[in-house]
Amino acid sequence: MLGLGNSIISGAALEQAFTPSSIANLAIWYKFNTGITADADASGSAVSHSTDAGNMADGDQIARWNDQSGNGNHAVQATAGDKPHWETDAADLGGLKFDNTADMTFTAVNVNAEAAFTLVFRIKPIGFQSGGDVLIGDQSNDFFRMSSSANFRIKMAASTPNNNNFNDASNTLSTSVYSTIILTRAAGATGARKLYVKPSNASEIDWASTAGNEDADETSFSIIGSSTSGNNELNAFVKDVLIYNGTALDSGQRSNMYTYLENQ
């Protein structure tokens, strides 16, 4: 009996907890409070600060956010006026402040036509611009943005690019709590896309995911916070960004993702 008990305990100990890497086809993972480097302080003076060293300071200018997927696709910004900033307020500590002037670039993730993909963001909007706040993009024909507190828009490159809106008249995105935003596209010729929003203090919302939100075209993502540098830049605190190239998260995977991100 003792041997059997040890075997059960050993087996339980070997069972691994969920992380985003548990889901196949993780292409990019910019993680909360991890792998973040600043090369200038709030005044612009040179520093060498990082989350790894534990010496980040309020207003530090972020030059690099290391990819935790294992693919080495780090997000960078070399231009002082375009860098996001570090916040030390308790609610926002560990995230980056994109304040209508910032973006970060990475090597493009290219999604094939008719291929599945998922975009994941954990953010707290500061406000909403009339022209929209781009969460992620590649160029003027490839972006996913917040057009208002109730409306999201995605545009994907093709010979005739299509704008598709997720407009939920019953809900608005809060500026007082963090929300996890998950956009999925199923594999196949239809290109069915679904949008889910999970505020940290509420249940998941299917955000106006209708039959009209379909596009199976190829697309690319290479910049956080704008569609092209300086265009429709994001006004929000960002704690996590993930891309899956080849997987559309199902309900169980989304549930695991919410739990993981909200309890880091």
Side-chain angles (χ1 to χ4, degrees), residues 79-222:
T79 303
D82 294 338
K83 292 176 181 176
H85 296 87
W86 185 255
E87 280 289 316
T88 56
D89 291 347
D92 304 310
L93 186 64
L96 306 188
K97 184 179 182 181
F98 289 75
D99 55 1
N100 283 340
T101 62
D103 52 48
M104 300 188 81
T105 62
F106 54 91
T107 301
V109 174
N110 299 310
V111 180
N112 293 332
E114 302 188 12
F117 72 84
T118 299
L119 305 177
V120 181
F121 308 90
R122 189 162 66 112
I123 71 163
K124 185 176 76 174
I126 299 169
F128 301 93
Q129 303 178 81
S130 59
D133 294 78
V134 173
L135 292 162
I136 198 164
D138 181 59
Q139 51 170 304
S140 60
N141 286 338
D142 292 271
F143 62 75
F144 176 51
R145 77 185 191 194
M146 302 179 293
S147 296
S148 70
S149 62
N151 181 269
F152 292 82
R153 173 175 288 186
I154 185 168
K155 187 177 183 182
M156 290 166 48
S159 55
T160 305
N162 295 317
N163 280 305
N164 291 113
N165 292 304
F166 295 83
N167 188 30
D168 194 322
S170 302
N171 294 286
T172 57
L173 196 63
S174 174
T175 57
S176 61
V177 301
Y178 278 86
S179 295
T180 301
I181 299 164
I182 299 181
L183 176 74
T184 68
R185 184 178 78 178
T190 301
R193 295 176 301 195
K194 303 287 186 181
L195 180 63
Y196 306 93
V197 177
K198 166 68 170 68
S200 59
N201 61 352
S203 301
E204 179 188 76
I205 303 165
D206 183 334
W207 204 274
S209 297
T210 66
N213 289 311
E214 299 166 348
D215 193 332
D217 289 324
E218 64 185 18
T219 190
S220 298
F221 305 105
S222 65

Side-chain angles (χ1 to χ4, degrees), residues 214-237:
E214 299 166 348
D215 193 332
D217 289 324
E218 64 185 18
T219 190
S220 298
F221 305 105
S222 65
I223 185 167
I224 302 167
S226 69
S227 53
T228 56
S229 186
N231 184 24
N232 299 125
E233 288 175 304
L234 181 63
N235 191 21
F237 296 101

